[in-house]
């Protein structure tokens, strides 16, 4: 399982900004670097997600993209983003 790192613990879209990018980075011991970029725009509620894969090793790398979205059963007392 990949555990991504980020440069900050909190992010906030400033009044003079139209867009906020949050970059999460994971690098394996062989030098494969993956950036997961969340983009938030002031004009809408959509969250855009993109990936940058940078093979910094000297070996050929091949992969398959797999994504999963699941919903948890959340009690009525819990608040959060995705309910």
């Amino acid at each position: 399982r990949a555990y991504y790192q980020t440069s900050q613990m909190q992010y906030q879209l400033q009044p003079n900004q139209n867009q906020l990018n949050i970059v999460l980075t994971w690098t394996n011991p062989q030098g494969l670097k993956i950036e997961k970029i969340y983009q938030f725009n002031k004009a809408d509620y959509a969250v855009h997600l993109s990936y940058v894969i940078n093979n910094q090793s000297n070996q050929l790398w091949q992969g398959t993209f797999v994504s999963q979205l699941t919903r948890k059963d959340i009690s009525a007392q819990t608040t959060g983003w995705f309910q």
Side-chain angles (χ1 to χ4, degrees), residues 12-78:
Q12 183 174 347
L13 187 66
Q14 299 300 317
N16 62 341
Q17 286 182 294
N18 291 322
Q19 176 180 305
L20 175 66
N21 290 328
I22 299 175
V23 180
L24 305 177
T25 305
W26 174 77
T27 305
N28 77 0
Q30 293 76 33
L32 178 69
K33 180 180 177 182
I34 299 177
E35 291 181 335
K36 191 177 194 180
I37 305 165
Y38 290 91
Q39 183 184 82
F40 300 88
N41 294 301
K42 192 177 208 174
D44 60 42
Y45 289 99
V47 177
H48 304 274
L49 176 60
S50 61
Y51 290 85
V52 175
I53 300 172
N54 184 356
N55 185 4
Q56 299 173 346
S57 75
N58 57 2
Q59 299 175 3
L60 178 65
W61 184 84
Q62 291 182 333
T64 301
F65 182 79
V66 178
S67 183
Q68 181 178 4
L69 179 64
T70 60
R71 180 183 167 102
K72 293 182 180 180
D73 190 18
I74 301 172
S75 70
Q77 297 174 348
T78 304

